[in-house]
Amino acid sequence: MRFLFVPLRPLISPAFIALVNAAILIPMVLTIIDVMKSVNRHVDTHEPVTITSTIALIMIGWGVALEERAVIRRRFGVTGRSDEAWQVHIDEMCHEYGVAQLVLGLFAEIAVAMISLPDRIVNTVGYEYSLLTLAVVLIAIGALIQARHVFALISALWRHRRGGETAS
């Protein structure tokens, strides 16, 4: 059954993960800019809430995928190879950065979800822009962490390849 996953193995490589991190980082940065402009102009909150919620959901999903790299590697049958110690190091790195994205995305989602609730449940009248700002700050922290993870993966890959070992 594991042979079915062979074509998917590159999806767990540090280079691919760094590429996906960078691809997700772009809309994160665009969200920060766009939503902060909306907050400063005090425009209707519907679109900024939708944008922020969507990016938070992407952060949550990608965070879960990152933190489970070790499980995915086992499922893909990519364990026990000659570079296993290095792969475990990458697994641990992805786990830590994944948890950060997951938690920051969850809290950003909570902040904007409160705006969407009816005022009879949670009265956020007058606090919408503060909650949006909080969500954007959490996304900005996530973006910084995401950028750092890209550099950490590239650095680890570069050091690994300089050491003469084969990377996955």
Side-chain angles (χ1 to χ4, degrees):
M1 179 70 159
R2 288 185 179 187
F3 66 90
L4 295 174
F5 295 115
V6 171
L8 301 176
R9 286 182 183 169
L11 299 179
I12 59 169
S13 72
F16 183 81
I17 293 169
L19 183 66
V20 173
N21 276 345
I24 292 172
L25 184 58
I26 294 167
M28 288 173 79
V29 171
L30 293 174
T31 294
I32 295 162
I33 294 166
D34 189 76
V35 173
M36 285 315 298
K37 284 180 182 177
S38 297
V39 165
N40 289 333
R41 288 182 303 199
H42 286 274
V43 300
D44 177 62
T45 60
H46 179 72
E47 185 177 44
V49 164
T50 301
I51 293 168
T52 306
S53 180
T54 302
I55 289 300
L57 181 61
I58 291 168
M59 290 171 66
I60 293 165
W62 184 237
V64 170
L66 283 175
E67 73 173 338
E68 295 301 329
R69 182 181 184 265
V71 173
I72 296 167
R73 273 190 338 107
R74 280 194 301 275
R75 175 53 66 194
F76 283 6
V78 190
T79 55
R81 295 172 21 184
S82 61
D83 65 346
E84 185 64 18
W86 184 72
Q87 292 290 342
V88 168
H89 169 70
I90 298 298
D91 290 344
E92 291 168 356
M93 180 192 309
C94 286
H95 182 81
E96 290 175 16
Y97 282 96
V99 167
Q101 290 303 321
L102 170 62
V103 170
L104 290 166
L106 281 170
F107 282 110
E109 180 63 24
I110 289 168
V112 292
M114 291 175 67
I115 297 169
S116 300
L117 286 171
D119 290 337
R120 67 182 178 277
I121 306 296
V122 177
N123 188 350
T124 59
V125 173
Y127 297 103
E128 298 93 340
Y129 300 109
S130 297
L131 289 166
L132 272 168
T133 301
L134 173 62
V136 167
V137 166
L138 294 170
I139 291 169
I141 293 168
L144 291 172
I145 290 169
Q146 189 92 328
R148 188 164 193 268
H149 191 207
V150 170
F151 289 113
L153 285 167
I154 291 169
S155 175
L157 188 57
W158 184 74
R159 283 192 315 269
H160 180 69
R161 287 196 172 155
R162 280 194 72 209
E165 299 176 36
T166 341
S168 69

